[in-house]
Amino acid sequence: MPLSLLLLSLCLGHNSAQAVGGALTDTSHSPHARLQSVDMDAVRWTDGFWAQRFAKCHDVMIPNMWRLLEDPNISHAFANFEIAARLRPGRHRGPKWHDGDFYKWLEAAAFVYALTRDEKLDRQMDRIIKVIGKAQRSDGYIHTPVIIAGRQQPSETAEFRNRLDFETYNMGHLITCACVHYRATGKTTLLAIAQKAADFLYETYQRSPQEIANNAICPSHYMGVVELYRTVRDPRYLELAKGLIDVRDRVEEGTDHNQDRIAFREQRQAVGHAVRANYLYAGVADLYAETGDESLRAALDAIWRDVAHRKMYVTGATGALYDGASPDGSKSHSAIQLVHQAYGRPYQLPQVTAYNESCATIGFALWNWRMLAIEPEARFADLLELALYNGVLSTISLDGRNFFYRNTLRQVDDLPFELRWSEKRETYISCFCCPPNIVRTIAEVGAYAYSTSPRGLWVHLYGANVLDTRLSDGSALRLRQDTDYPWEGRIAITIDKAPPQEYSIFLRIPAWAEESQLSVNGKPTAENLKAGGYHEVRRVWSTGDRVELTLPMPVQLLEAHPLVEEARNQVAVRRGPIVYCLESTDLPDRVRIEDVALRPTQPFRHRFVEDLLEGVVVLETSALHLAGPDWDDSLYRPLPANEPDRLDIRLIPYYAWANRGDSEMTVWMPLR
Ligand SMILES: [Zn+2]
């Protein structure tokens, strides 16, 4: 065991299965984070939307995904570790990043364990960690494709031969997962493996910064190494984290694809592969929280605005294009490169061909969470919430067993071309990066609900839960949140245990919630609650004190910036944080999805339907059916003169589409 870890274990006395506590992202000692995260087991969903999903994560998603990952005839992810550990014969199969897929699942299991203390999960993790430990090389390197190949042809294989081997990506997920596992269980088994891997990265960085720079594809290790520093406080890991960003500036033949064509500190726009981009930005935000390097912050702020104001879908999804080109607009043809699953130009947001890899949306949520910690502004929490309810949840079926790789905004039958990724959710995807990423995100939503600061408690996400935490000065705070959010905007927070001193509760008022109302112990506050900000309530609290917040949830029709050409003269529909869609399942057979138009002044009724899609609020309205003759082979035609018919329609939450068999779907609808 490395000395620092041994000391940590000795001084904390944690080799037994006692949780040591700690947050998913532990900013408790980060000098430039203004918010501190609450412990992983501090928030328990009690009822409603997220309680339902957390239970499904525990009962279905985690066991179902283990079945996929451990069956060599399906995924080979665990078999690769067993082969690398010499526990079974064979060769590596599956994508080069398959180790990382496995660690993401393991992280979900560890986080769920932190809240459930499910002993079966604990034993299962112990067995798995033993195999991972046996697979690791004595120098700390761990990446099963190279380890397995090295057994067969030692002279032909070495680490970092090919940047598309995703070695640092895999090790990054291992390191993040190990921090979660250690905090959840108190066991240092996986943390010791991760620390050896980080030491290997550190030594490689010292010996050959160029090598580490050239092999930072999809850099999950930036977040991982900072989190490891927060866990064990070894300053070498902070030095490594800084170095990993600095060496990007010297990448040979950098590309926009990998965001390393120009130095990070000079970047002001989101470019390239959106998962790689969002992981980079999230990792840099973590680094800023530790260092306060303003040149990093300037880049982060500008890139965030570029995405939030010009490159994000209305669902919070990012990474619009199957394939883009870079540098865009170069006068030199030889400089143009293909960029896969790219951030496109500003406002380039196609619908049918929207790419939106599930991992990109998750990366965007991770990035917003880290921006929120360094600058507690509601705009970051608003987008975190938008992504969670829409872009993230749409990636998984309601039964928890099927997954989208890409996430379209409009699906139509009879496309005259075939898209590379399935138009249906699949049980197993050959590129399995997204499904375990989705499962860990659903497990961890509670970690994003609250933060603390020296001034008090920050409430970011609403949902029925209990919070049991400590404020920055160590005093205990317990409270209960009762609400039917996101279906209704009434939220009651009851204090169960209050510190004796005065402190504040900061309530996020989402940007869509104009004219929200607040009362404390039944007495309405006269203050105006600013939408898109945090409202501070400061007082000495007592047990039984009750804060009631009402966020109005009118149905809102959204239009897009005029330069979003694919959404011209169309609207999307949102109520509260939920974006809605029209699915063909809800239309009569004779009505095609593209022929339904909304009327701007026609009101919507909202109604909770318990037995539909596991319980959703649907929106009903009278729309128009723009029936014309069927299209022939022509590209253009005169507008049909007939008056459209009235048509009653029902919209469902976007996240719930494609759960009732094959269908067409659209988020944006024409306005007439
Ligand atoms: Zn993915």
Side-chain angles (χ1 to χ4, degrees):
M1 182 182 294
L3 183 63
S4 58
L5 189 55
L6 181 65
L7 288 174
L8 181 85
S9 294
L10 287 175
C11 88
L12 297 172
H14 299 309
N15 272 325
S16 59
Q18 289 294 314
V20 295
L24 178 64
T25 51
D26 184 357
T27 51
S28 56
H29 294 90
S30 305
H32 302 277
R34 292 176 54 197
L35 297 185
Q36 286 71 52
S37 313
V38 298
D39 284 359
M40 296 191 301
D41 60 355
V43 180
R44 287 166 196 277
W45 302 115
T46 50
D47 192 18
F49 195 90
W50 289 114
Q52 202 180 342
R53 276 150 188 85
F54 184 86
K56 190 155 280 179
C57 185
H58 181 202
D59 300 341
V60 178
M61 295 176 202
I62 287 179
N64 174 64
M65 192 160 288
W66 167 249
R67 189 180 56 76
L68 301 175
L69 291 168
E70 64 113 25
D71 184 343
N73 296 317
I74 301 175
S75 89
H76 220 257
F78 189 57
N80 290 334
F81 284 102
E82 292 181 305
I83 295 165
R86 300 178 196 268
L87 298 172
R88 72 154 72 207
R91 61 183 178 83
H92 182 275
R93 279 169 45 202
K96 299 286 178 67
W97 53 86
H98 222 19
D99 294 1
D101 302 343
F102 190 81
Y103 298 135
K104 281 181 262 186
W105 171 83
L106 189 58
E107 181 186 325
F111 195 98
V112 167
Y113 174 77
L115 280 158
T116 60
R117 301 279 143 204
D118 176 344
E119 287 176 14
K120 192 163 151 258
L121 267 185
D122 191 34
R123 288 194 296 273
Q124 188 182 11
M125 291 192 291
D126 285 345
R127 282 196 302 274
I128 289 166
I129 290 165
K130 275 196 185 119
V131 176
I132 296 172
K134 282 188 182 146
Q136 188 170 34
R137 261 180 11 198
S138 58
D139 63 357
Y141 179 80
I142 180 162
H143 174 68
T144 62
V146 166
I147 291 174
I148 294 169
R151 298 266 163 70
Q152 282 138 14
Q153 284 186 300
S155 60
E156 292 298 306
T157 47
E159 62 277 2
F160 300 135
R161 284 272 176 94
N162 180 351
R163 65 189 324 208
L164 289 175
D165 268 357
F166 288 79
E167 288 148 294
T168 53
Y169 168 86
N170 283 342
M171 286 192 253
H173 277 297
L174 164 66
I175 295 167
T176 299
C177 169
C179 294
V180 172
H181 177 263
Y182 168 65
R183 291 165 186 163
T185 64
K187 297 178 187 180
T188 53
T189 44
L190 191 60
L191 188 61
I193 294 168
Q195 205 165 353
K196 274 173 72 177
D199 292 346
F200 179 85
L201 292 179
Y202 179 79
E203 279 149 29
T204 308
Y205 161 69
Q206 294 263 306
R207 175 176 50 77
S208 173
Q210 195 64 53
E211 197 165 277
I212 208 92
N214 290 345
N215 287 279
I217 298 287
C218 216
S220 72
H221 58 310
Y222 302 161
M223 285 180 275
V225 169
V226 173
E227 209 55 50
L228 183 62
Y229 165 69
R230 292 168 176 165
T231 308
V232 302
R233 310 304 297 178
D234 182 335
R236 289 179 309 143
Y237 301 137
L238 183 57
E239 180 197 343
L240 175 61
K242 283 185 208 160
L244 289 170
I245 301 303
D246 291 343
V247 297
R248 294 181 66 87
D249 301 358
R250 49 203 279 180
V251 167
E252 293 157 335
E253 298 177 7
T255 61
D256 278 350
H257 197 174
N258 206 44
Q259 300 85 32
D260 50 12
R261 185 172 61 83
I262 58 174
F264 179 79
R265 288 172 173 81
E266 293 167 24
Q267 295 181 24
R268 294 295 180 269
Q269 293 176 32
V271 297
H273 188 297
V275 184
R276 300 179 188 186
N278 292 345
Y279 276 33
L280 164 65
Y281 309 145
V284 172
D286 268 339
L287 181 58
Y288 176 85
E290 303 305 319
T291 65
D293 178 343
E294 291 301 332
S295 63
L296 296 176
R297 180 71 185 276
L300 282 177
D301 285 345
I303 297 168
W304 185 89
R305 277 193 298 278
D306 183 47
V307 177
H309 297 179
R310 307 197 299 183
K311 293 179 178 167
M312 181 191 79
Y313 281 93
V314 70
T315 56
T318 63
L321 306 183
Y322 264 75
D323 302 291
S326 172
D328 182 45
S330 168
K331 291 198 171 65
S332 163
H333 275 257
S334 64
I336 294 175
Q337 302 162 343
L338 180 71
V339 177
H340 173 50
Q341 59 181 85
Y343 271 114
R345 296 185 185 97
Y347 308 112
Q348 192 177 13
L349 297 166
Q351 296 181 31
V352 170
T353 63
Y355 196 93
N356 293 339
E357 187 192 325
S358 306
C359 286
T361 308
I362 291 166
F364 187 54
L366 297 175
W367 177 26
N368 274 289
W369 171 244
R370 285 157 174 80
M371 296 298 283
L372 181 65
I374 59 183
E375 188 69 59
E377 292 186 1
R379 59 194 170 117
F380 301 121
D382 278 1
L383 292 196
L384 169 67
E385 179 184 61
L386 176 75
L388 288 175
Y389 278 112
N390 303 287
V392 171
L393 276 187
S394 65
T395 64
I396 186 168
S397 59
L398 292 172
D399 68 8
R401 296 171 187 274
N402 295 286
F403 307 91
F404 275 133
Y405 184 82
R406 58 169 293 253
N407 294 277
T408 190
L409 275 275
R410 176 177 292 164
Q411 180 141 307
V412 294
D413 293 341
D414 308 326
L415 263 191
F417 51 87
E418 198 173 330
L419 293 166
R420 286 201 295 277
W421 291 103
S422 172
E423 294 177 354
K424 296 177 185 166
R425 294 193 188 90
E426 302 281 344
T427 305
Y428 187 73
I429 308 170
S430 59
C431 179
F432 204 63
C433 54
C434 302
N437 219 2
I438 298 160
V439 172
R440 75 166 173 150
T441 305
I442 290 172
E444 292 166 355
V445 170
Y448 305 131
Y450 300 92
S451 301
T452 62
S453 73
R455 205 169 158 78
L457 179 77
W458 297 69
V459 189
H460 308 303
L461 298 182
Y462 298 110
N465 67 67
V466 289
L467 168 72
D468 188 350
T469 190
R470 290 188 178 278
L471 293 173
S472 302
D473 64 2
S475 50
L477 168 66
R478 279 206 309 268
L479 56 76
R480 197 179 74 242
Q481 212 188 113
D482 294 300
T483 179
D484 284 331
Y485 196 90
W487 305 128
E488 297 300 334
R490 286 185 303 279
I491 298 137
I493 294 175
T494 311
I495 306 293
D496 184 35
K497 183 180 174 72
Q501 76 280 15
E502 184 183 55
Y503 71 92
S504 300
I505 296 181
F506 295 86
L507 299 160
R508 180 175 66 94
I509 313 298
W512 45 260
E514 298 285 350
E515 298 178 14
S516 297
Q517 292 177 342
L518 180 75
S519 71
V520 178
N521 294 334
K523 198 171 156 205
T525 61
E527 296 157 279
N528 188 19
L529 307 188
K530 186 175 166 293
Y534 282 87
H535 183 78
E536 180 178 6
V537 187
R538 187 165 185 82
R539 57 187 275 141
V540 176
W541 299 87
S542 309
T543 300
D545 278 353
R546 189 173 164 91
V547 176
E548 288 171 295
L549 174 66
T550 303
L551 304 173
M553 284 191 177
V555 176
Q556 294 177 324
L557 299 184
L558 307 176
E559 62 176 349
H561 187 283
L563 284 174
V564 182
E565 293 182 61
E566 296 222 21
R568 291 295 289 149
N569 297 320
Q570 296 168 68
V571 288
V573 181
R574 186 180 66 194
R575 178 175 179 270
I578 304 282
V579 174
Y580 280 77
C581 71
L582 176 65
E583 191 171 22
S584 57
T585 320
D586 293 312
L587 289 175
D589 284 346
R590 66 191 164 84
V591 179
R592 298 194 52 132
I593 204 147
E594 61 264 37
D595 292 338
V596 178
L598 296 181
R599 292 183 292 165
T601 54
Q602 186 66 30
F604 282 84
R605 287 179 309 280
H606 73 273
R607 188 161 66 87
F608 185 74
V609 186
E610 192 167 1
D611 59 357
L612 178 69
L613 300 164
E614 302 199 347
V616 290
V617 163
V618 298
L619 304 181
E620 295 165 335
T621 192
S622 167
L624 296 176
H625 179 209
L626 311 175
D630 286 345
W631 277 92
D632 55 21
D633 201 28
S634 57
L635 184 56
Y636 305 104
R637 73 179 185 193
L639 186 67
N642 57 324
E643 277 296 309
D645 301 330
R646 294 287 175 90
L647 176 73
D648 289 335
I649 61 162
R650 169 167 93 170
L651 307 183
I652 62 162
Y654 169 71
Y655 75 76
W657 88 277
N659 278 288
R660 295 176 289 172
D662 293 345
S663 64
E664 295 185 303
M665 180 279 297
T666 188
V667 170
W668 290 92
M669 285 157 270
L671 205 58
R672 190 60 81 83

